[in-house]
Amino acid sequence: MTNSQKEVVHTQIDDVREALDRGKVKRVRRLLKTMHPAKVASLLEGLSGDQRISVWHLVDAQDEEKVLAHLPQRLRLQLTRDPDANAAEDGEGAEPVGAESEAESQLRLVLEALANGKLKRITRLFRKLHPARIAGLLESLPAAERGTAWDMVDGDRSGKVLRHLHEEVRRRLAAEMDLEDLVDAARALEPDDLVDLIQDLPKATGRQILNAMNARERERLESMLSYPEDSAGGLMNLDQIAVRASIRIGTLLRYLRLLEELPPNTDKFFVVDRKRHYQGILRAGRVLTARPEMTVAELMETDFEPVPAEQGSAEVARRFEDQDLISAPVIDAKGKLLGRITIDDVVDVIREQAEHSMMGMAGLDEETDMFAPVLASSRRRAVWLGINLITAFLAAWVIGLFEGTLQQVVALAVLMPIVASMGGIAGSQTLTLVIRGLATGQLASGNTRILLLKEAGIGLLNGLLWAVVVAALAILWFGNWAIGGIIAAAILLNLLCAALAGVVIPLIMRRFGIDPALAGGVVLTTVTDVVGFFAFLGLATLVLL
Amino acid sequence: MTNSQKEVVHTQIDDVREALDRGKVKRVRRLLKTMHPAKVASLLEGLSGDQRISVWHLVDAQDEEKVLAHLPQRLRLQLTRDPDANAAEDGEGAEPVGAESEAESQLRLVLEALANGKLKRITRLFRKLHPARIAGLLESLPAAERGTAWDMVDGDRSGKVLRHLHEEVRRRLAAEMDLEDLVDAARALEPDDLVDLIQDLPKATGRQILNAMNARERERLESMLSYPEDSAGGLMNLDQIAVRASIRIGTLLRYLRLLEELPPNTDKFFVVDRKRHYQGILRAGRVLTARPEMTVAELMETDFEPVPAEQGSAEVARRFEDQDLISAPVIDAKGKLLGRITIDDVVDVIREQAEHSMMGMAGLDEETDMFAPVLASSRRRAVWLGINLITAFLAAWVIGLFEGTLQQVVALAVLMPIVASMGGIAGSQTLTLVIRGLATGQLASGNTRILLLKEAGIGLLNGLLWAVVVAALAILWFGNWAIGGIIAAAILLNLLCAALAGVVIPLIMRRFGIDPALAGGVVLTTVTDVVGFFAFLGLATLVLL
């Protein structure tokens, strides 16, 4: 008996030591929680000074007293003297420095705690923060240290933190987790977020998570997984409350009281028939203001359009935004109620769309993790630089056509970047406007001709203005009237082409199913560079030689 | 008697004719509504064929029959034969052409109706659409025709449509409206939207709208106007429901029933003390699931942080997004409940922020109207082109320093844009990442050094890679090993500088209160152009001459 017990003790301590060596902080915390305080104490005694402090930082706050009771006086003093090692105190040591914001001081605290190995500080800070804020802090950490901080998130909250992380960061952290922890985290997630997570993970891992769920959950998740991530079906949740038209408000209220708490964002209930076909909505506000003897049928609204499951998420977002919705029912092709979409997920879609446009223009579309490993980032960005290189060589080739001219009039080499650059700027103004117009749906076949005329008009006006200014400066600089005339003509021509290209390029790309926000800029710059160099050097060759 | 009556008839018809001549369609519609059907008929009789059809299109649908009764047979036939002139029919003539989306066919319908003067079609279409969709259609129209379509919006909905328009479009339409119509539209707006509108209008017009409100409304609006547009106070609405902690749920429910309808987005009530100091929240869902005899105090949550009125709207948006809020209370410095912010306004803030980043990078910050008049757009964009011209001349000046070198080795002129362009692309990748990091608050003083090292690492790796590629291509092209070596060194140097500049420029701008999304790109390109040209041509001068 004593023997076998001793063996168990031995094994647990060994487990902890092994997890410590492998840097699996989360595992150490879990093991410590399952161990008897006396065992933890004996483990602490057997460790070297530094390691002892580290492990002490991983002991759960509520077990501290009990563990201390088993320790010799000397060690007890050593551990309690460390001001950060105990949950009892609170002062956090995070006095704001100067005009530092709260977010900045939190980040500083985490970075310092990581540097000094005072992990308990992180746990304590995280306990006070909203999961979204923890996610923000984790994203602000370099990839190497993110894992350690992540391990300090309490298990029951890690799912919620995962949900708020950017896709790339989430995938990377989930990949490092033990399956056991991952399943725990997954259980704490709402179905729509869990579906997102599974879609982000390697197929096998996603399968393992599904297998860990019970049959009913698994079936529901699988039906949600059958819709693409960027469709209404991929956005929807299954926590809607469906009611029948025939019941009375009093009955509904009694049912709701049984639930005790409503799912978040429940601003309406969905009315269905016996076969769960969608019939209309009943606003929660109406229930509050109704008399108990009224029926759902009297209060429901039948003209609220449900969202088809296959509708694209961009369209769903636009409708939520336009109609100020909080939630909307999702139906399948036969009109059956499948679930609901809520505003919190729509806000995420809107934010992602916006980021996509902005990041896409710099060729950073997939780079959602600011602290992704250098090699991964370099590889992704190299693609964009490579594409750009092709267009740069194209421009160089155009210049190369006029080597003879450049040799004779070197001032042309000095001035030619100005022509290309003005065209590039003017073109990207038009391009940005058109990309936004396409994204918001305000630009359609009916009004592109009008926009083209307007942009051409702007190109003409600005072309004339800047042609005169640049010509004057060039004449002043080089004392050559011919060069002034040539650069004026080239700038005017290039600004007109830029307006045309800015409207036409994104429209053509869209027709071929290419995202103009992603590749429009490169194609546009190619056009304005080539036209600019060709017009300027070509005219110069004709006039000057 | 007969005489004076005749005079009145005469005056009304004159009014209509005058309004017609001045193109004030809305005024014509309003006048027609107040006229006796017989008078409208005699007006129609006195008009020429084309004008008659136009005015007939402005007769309200429910008055059509009565007016027709007063018309001679011939005219009656003429007007009713026009298939679009009558409300009775419905078929809309908007059969989708090919794969045209609904939005596209609506836009086509409006444009065609405007071109043919069949304005009734527009009214009928608008009556079926959500105000947000009408706003979208109006924004898709060229400025000249927008006014006419806008006049076809029914008076009681024009306020809601105004609310959904972009700032610039709204300002322009409101400026063209009669004060009377504007006040009508303003009355239909919620206070927060009205405050936005007043802030957009010329001071005098805003004052006139305020004066048209009753004293109580005016006072509330003025207190809201005292907060900046981009603060919590500027975002808030005054339609919150405040309750006292001591009352019972049953009492609350009886009070709510008196209201019949709750304000939109009411997911929580706010608990206040006798002096309206904020004490906590009571979720509407909790009221639904509570027993009537419970008190508010038992169910309220006291740990929900209220929003201070002076908090910035970006911070408010981040909190709504992070914590998935629908509404939040706004308090003044003394803790008094002032109003509430709702998710619909926060979604607008998020969308505006995103657009601001994207449009700002192209120097289009204020250009929210895609169809702004050519002259106004040209003027605004000229500023950006002018700023860019300065930087372009700076780059040209650098090239000018090496005129002698260029004259001797003209291949340098051919290759130099490649060095500048690669630096510009790499730098803008870093810049975009940093701007996003600053906007989301993930980049703070604690982790900039880490980011700088990471970006420098990426710059080094990509610099090495592309230096080798470009060098190889340059050697192949010009058969000159020295030029290959020079361009390789210049590219590596420029990519390292680009990484440094991409991190440092936005941080410095921010410290000086300049928005990096607006001006970062220009400064960055200046740096990469100057460094690129200087390194390439300078090295060439040292090595080749």
Side-chain angles (χ1 to χ4, degrees):
Chain A
M1 170 82 190
T2 325
N3 204 10
S4 88
Q5 202 180 14
K6 217 173 180 178
E7 241 181 73
V8 171
V9 171
H10 186 72
T11 317
Q12 275 191 330
I13 289 185
D14 267 5
D15 279 352
V16 173
R17 280 177 186 271
E18 195 198 308
L20 267 178
D21 288 344
R22 289 173 49 212
K24 298 263 175 191
V25 180
K26 209 159 212 139
R27 195 168 156 72
V28 174
R29 287 183 74 200
R30 206 175 42 224
L31 286 170
L32 288 177
K33 250 188 216 168
T34 62
M35 283 164 72
H36 188 274
K39 284 182 209 165
V40 178
S42 75
L43 170 70
L44 286 170
E45 280 179 69
L47 290 170
S48 70
D50 274 1
Q51 254 192 324
R52 187 183 298 139
I53 302 264
S54 310
V55 173
W56 174 244
H57 271 277
L58 300 174
V59 173
D60 204 66
Q62 54 198 18
D63 297 334
E64 276 177 11
E65 281 303 322
K66 291 181 216 152
V67 175
L68 282 176
H70 290 274
L71 282 172
Q73 172 81 15
R74 189 183 49 84
L75 280 185
R76 206 180 311 162
L77 276 175
Q78 187 201 344
L79 291 178
T80 51
R81 219 183 305 134
D82 177 5
D84 296 306
N86 301 290
E89 285 141 77
D90 215 340
E92 216 56 63
E95 325 80 34
V97 173
E100 206 178 33
S101 75
E102 202 183 3
E104 284 198 0
S105 73
Q106 286 167 353
L107 177 62
R108 199 169 46 81
L109 183 99
V110 173
L111 284 168
E112 280 174 13
L114 283 170
N116 307 330
K118 311 243 162 149
L119 299 181
K120 211 154 223 162
R121 281 190 179 186
I122 300 180
T123 320
R124 242 180 304 154
L125 174 68
F126 281 0
R127 283 214 183 107
K128 290 192 301 190
L129 297 178
H130 189 275
R133 183 73 206 107
I134 301 175
L137 278 171
L138 288 173
E139 287 180 346
S140 308
L141 295 175
E145 295 169 31
R146 195 182 282 149
T148 314
W150 166 241
D151 284 333
M152 301 315 292
V153 176
D154 287 327
D156 52 339
R157 299 183 82 198
S158 54
K160 285 193 182 144
V161 175
L162 268 187
R163 202 222 118 169
H164 283 97
L165 288 169
H166 270 110
E167 209 170 294
E168 198 191 347
V169 183
R170 177 163 59 195
R171 201 184 312 129
R172 203 164 280 141
L173 283 182
E176 283 171 13
M177 282 171 83
D178 288 342
L179 184 67
E180 199 177 332
D181 289 331
L182 197 54
V183 169
D184 276 354
R187 285 226 172 84
L189 285 175
E190 288 179 27
D192 59 337
D193 296 322
L194 181 51
V195 163
D196 279 355
L197 179 64
I198 291 176
Q199 275 162 337
D200 284 347
L201 293 174
K203 269 236 163 90
T205 319
R207 196 66 249 165
Q208 283 172 308
I209 294 181
L210 278 180
N211 288 339
M213 303 282 153
N214 68 40
R216 197 180 123 85
E217 279 173 331
R218 190 161 58 233
E219 199 181 315
R220 293 173 79 175
L221 286 171
E222 274 165 352
S223 88
M224 287 171 78
L225 279 166
S226 66
Y227 293 100
E229 212 176 329
D230 59 349
S231 71
L235 276 181
M236 76 181 172
N237 225 324
L238 306 173
D239 56 358
Q240 74 278 7
I241 295 179
V243 297
R244 299 276 288 280
S246 54
I247 69 166
R248 287 188 194 284
I249 297 301
T251 320
L252 174 61
L253 279 173
R254 274 197 302 280
Y255 167 71
L256 294 177
R257 267 169 215 148
L258 290 177
L259 289 180
E260 280 189 12
E261 213 171 338
L262 296 185
N265 300 318
T266 298
D267 70 320
K268 44 178 88 76
F269 309 111
F270 305 124
V271 187
V272 294
D273 67 10
R274 216 167 352 143
K275 288 182 168 162
R276 286 193 72 80
H277 286 108
Y278 169 79
Q279 295 192 302
I281 59 155
L282 171 65
R283 294 186 195 275
R286 283 305 280 129
V287 176
L288 278 178
T289 59
R291 277 167 289 113
E293 63 274 15
M294 295 172 97
T295 63
V296 169
E298 287 174 78
L299 298 170
M300 68 190 264
E301 294 166 33
T302 51
D303 57 353
F304 189 91
E305 284 283 325
V307 179
E310 63 277 2
Q311 191 166 71
S313 55
E315 213 173 324
V316 174
R318 207 177 303 156
R319 179 162 167 217
F320 266 72
E321 205 180 338
D322 282 350
Q323 306 185 7
D324 296 342
L325 301 180
I326 303 294
S327 70
V330 179
I331 57 164
D332 67 10
K334 288 180 195 133
K336 234 181 207 163
L337 181 70
L338 290 176
R340 64 170 190 149
I341 294 177
T342 48
I343 182 74
D344 53 325
D345 298 312
V346 171
V347 168
D348 292 345
V349 170
I350 292 174
R351 176 70 81 188
E352 272 162 30
Q353 276 179 339
E355 281 203 346
H356 167 80
S357 298
M358 180 182 161
M359 306 285 279
M361 281 192 173
L364 291 169
D365 189 38
E366 285 178 55
E367 186 139 346
T368 50
D369 180 3
M370 192 160 65
F371 290 103
V374 172
L375 210 62
S377 290
S378 299
R379 206 179 318 121
R380 279 187 299 216
R381 293 201 213 164
V383 177
W384 200 240
L385 286 165
I387 294 171
N388 180 66
L389 189 62
I390 300 171
T391 85
F393 263 100
L394 201 64
W397 172 75
V398 172
I399 301 171
L401 296 177
F402 301 97
E403 258 185 85
T405 314
L406 284 169
Q407 199 137 29
Q408 291 179 48
V409 195
V410 89
L412 298 176
V414 175
L415 292 173
M416 66 184 187
I418 295 175
V419 180
S421 148
M422 292 297 274
I425 295 284
S428 74
Q429 291 181 331
T430 305
L431 179 76
T432 306
L433 209 67
V434 172
I435 288 175
R436 193 197 57 161
L438 287 174
T440 58
Q442 270 165 34
L443 201 60
S445 52
N447 54 4
T448 42
R449 217 177 54 89
I450 306 168
L451 184 72
L452 192 62
L453 285 174
K454 184 204 147 193
E455 291 297 320
I458 297 173
L460 186 69
L461 282 181
N462 267 320
L464 286 171
L465 170 67
W466 296 112
V468 171
V469 172
V470 173
L473 290 170
I475 293 167
L476 275 177
W477 190 349
F478 293 98
N480 184 330
W481 286 80
I483 287 185
I486 292 165
I487 203 169
I491 281 188
L492 180 57
L493 191 71
N494 205 16
L495 257 62
L496 282 172
C497 281
L500 184 74
V503 175
V504 172
I505 289 171
L507 290 174
I508 294 178
M509 288 190 146
R510 192 148 136 127
R511 179 143 309 170
F512 286 101
I514 306 166
D515 181 1
L518 213 59
V522 176
V523 180
L524 179 97
T525 330
T526 312
V527 171
T528 53
D529 277 2
V530 166
V531 170
F533 290 135
F534 195 87
F536 183 54
L537 298 176
L539 278 172
T541 308
L542 287 178
V543 175
L544 296 177
L545 298 190
Chain B
M1 170 83 190
T2 326
N3 202 9
S4 88
Q5 202 179 12
K6 216 174 180 178
E7 242 179 72
V8 172
V9 172
H10 184 72
T11 318
Q12 274 191 333
I13 290 184
D14 267 5
D15 280 351
V16 173
R17 280 177 186 271
E18 195 199 307
L20 268 178
D21 287 344
R22 289 172 50 213
K24 297 263 174 190
V25 179
K26 208 158 214 141
R27 196 169 155 71
V28 174
R29 286 183 75 200
R30 206 177 42 223
L31 286 170
L32 289 177
K33 249 187 216 167
T34 63
M35 282 163 75
H36 188 275
K39 285 182 209 165
V40 178
S42 74
L43 170 72
L44 287 169
E45 280 179 68
L47 291 170
S48 69
D50 273 2
Q51 254 193 323
R52 188 183 297 138
I53 301 264
S54 308
V55 174
W56 174 244
H57 270 277
L58 300 175
V59 173
D60 203 66
Q62 53 198 17
D63 296 334
E64 277 176 12
E65 283 303 321
K66 290 181 218 154
V67 174
L68 283 176
H70 290 274
L71 282 172
Q73 173 81 13
R74 188 184 49 83
L75 282 185
R76 207 181 309 160
L77 276 176
Q78 187 202 342
L79 292 177
T80 51
R81 218 182 306 133
D82 177 6
D84 296 307
N86 302 291
E89 286 140 78
D90 216 340
E92 218 54 63
E95 325 79 35
V97 174
E100 206 178 33
S101 75
E102 202 183 1
E104 284 198 1
S105 72
Q106 286 166 354
L107 177 62
R108 198 168 48 81
L109 183 98
V110 172
L111 284 167
E112 280 172 15
L114 283 170
N116 308 330
K118 312 245 161 147
L119 299 180
K120 215 154 220 163
R121 280 191 180 186
I122 299 180
T123 319
R124 243 180 303 153
L125 173 69
F126 281 0
R127 283 216 182 104
K128 291 192 300 189
L129 296 178
H130 189 276
R133 183 73 206 106
I134 300 175
L137 278 171
L138 288 173
E139 287 180 347
S140 309
L141 295 175
E145 294 170 32
R146 196 181 282 149
T148 315
W150 165 242
D151 284 332
M152 302 315 293
V153 176
D154 287 328
D156 53 337
R157 299 183 83 199
S158 55
K160 284 191 183 145
V161 175
L162 268 187
R163 203 222 117 167
H164 283 97
L165 288 168
H166 270 110
E167 209 170 294
E168 198 191 347
V169 184
R170 177 162 58 193
R171 202 185 310 129
R172 205 163 279 142
L173 283 182
E176 284 171 12
M177 283 172 84
D178 287 341
L179 184 67
E180 200 177 331
D181 289 330
L182 196 55
V183 169
D184 275 355
R187 285 229 172 82
L189 285 176
E190 289 180 25
D192 59 337
D193 296 322
L194 181 51
V195 163
D196 279 355
L197 179 64
I198 291 176
Q199 276 162 339
D200 284 349
L201 293 174
K203 268 235 164 89
T205 320
R207 195 68 246 168
Q208 284 172 309
I209 294 182
L210 278 179
N211 288 339
M213 303 281 154
N214 67 41
R216 197 181 123 85
E217 277 173 331
R218 191 162 55 234
E219 200 181 316
R220 294 174 79 176
L221 287 171
E222 274 165 353
S223 87
M224 287 171 78
L225 279 165
S226 66
Y227 294 99
E229 213 176 329
D230 60 348
S231 71
L235 275 181
M236 77 180 171
N237 225 323
L238 305 174
D239 56 358
Q240 74 278 7
I241 295 179
V243 297
R244 298 277 289 281
S246 53
I247 69 166
R248 288 188 194 284
I249 296 301
T251 320
L252 175 60
L253 279 173
R254 272 197 304 279
Y255 167 71
L256 294 177
R257 266 169 216 150
L258 289 178
L259 290 180
E260 280 190 11
E261 213 171 338
L262 295 185
N265 300 319
T266 298
D267 70 319
K268 45 178 89 75
F269 309 110
F270 305 125
V271 187
V272 292
D273 67 11
R274 218 170 346 145
K275 290 183 167 159
R276 285 193 73 80
H277 286 108
Y278 170 79
Q279 294 192 305
I281 57 155
L282 171 64
R283 294 186 195 275
R286 283 305 279 128
V287 176
L288 278 178
T289 60
R291 278 167 289 112
E293 64 275 15
M294 295 173 97
T295 63
V296 170
E298 286 175 77
L299 298 170
M300 68 189 265
E301 293 167 33
T302 52
D303 57 352
F304 189 91
E305 283 284 326
V307 179
E310 63 278 3
Q311 192 166 71
S313 55
E315 212 173 323
V316 174
R318 206 177 303 154
R319 178 162 168 218
F320 266 71
E321 205 179 339
D322 283 349
Q323 305 185 10
D324 296 342
L325 301 180
I326 302 294
S327 70
V330 179
I331 57 164
D332 67 10
K334 290 181 194 131
K336 235 180 206 164
L337 181 70
L338 290 176
R340 63 171 190 149
I341 294 176
T342 49
I343 182 76
D344 53 326
D345 298 312
V346 172
V347 168
D348 293 344
V349 170
I350 293 174
R351 177 70 81 186
E352 272 162 30
Q353 276 179 341
E355 281 202 345
H356 167 81
S357 300
M358 180 182 161
M359 306 285 279
M361 280 191 173
L364 291 169
D365 188 38
E366 285 178 56
E367 186 140 347
T368 50
D369 180 2
M370 193 161 62
F371 290 103
V374 172
L375 210 63
S377 291
S378 299
R379 207 180 317 122
R380 278 186 301 217
R381 293 202 213 162
V383 176
W384 199 241
L385 285 164
I387 294 171
N388 180 66
L389 189 63
I390 300 171
T391 84
F393 262 100
L394 201 64
W397 173 74
V398 172
I399 300 172
L401 296 177
F402 301 97
E403 258 184 85
T405 316
L406 284 168
Q407 199 138 31
Q408 291 179 49
V409 194
V410 88
L412 297 176
V414 174
L415 292 173
M416 66 184 188
I418 296 176
V419 180
S421 149
M422 292 298 274
I425 295 285
S428 74
Q429 291 181 330
T430 305
L431 180 75
T432 307
L433 209 68
V434 172
I435 288 175
R436 192 196 59 161
L438 287 174
T440 58
Q442 269 164 36
L443 201 59
S445 53
N447 55 4
T448 43
R449 217 178 54 87
I450 306 167
L451 184 72
L452 191 62
L453 286 175
K454 184 204 147 194
E455 290 297 320
I458 297 173
L460 186 68
L461 283 181
N462 267 320
L464 287 172
L465 170 66
W466 295 111
V468 171
V469 173
V470 173
L473 290 169
I475 293 167
L476 274 176
W477 190 350
F478 292 98
N480 184 328
W481 285 79
I483 288 183
I486 292 164
I487 204 168
I491 281 189
L492 179 57
L493 192 70
N494 205 17
L495 259 61
L496 282 172
C497 281
L500 185 73
V503 175
V504 172
I505 288 171
L507 290 175
I508 293 178
M509 288 190 146
R510 192 148 135 125
R511 180 143 308 172
F512 286 100
I514 306 166
D515 180 0
L518 213 59
V522 176
V523 180
L524 179 97
T525 331
T526 311
V527 171
T528 52
D529 277 2
V530 167
V531 170
F533 290 135
F534 195 86
F536 183 54
L537 297 176
L539 279 172
T541 309
L542 287 178
V543 175
L544 297 177
L545 297 190

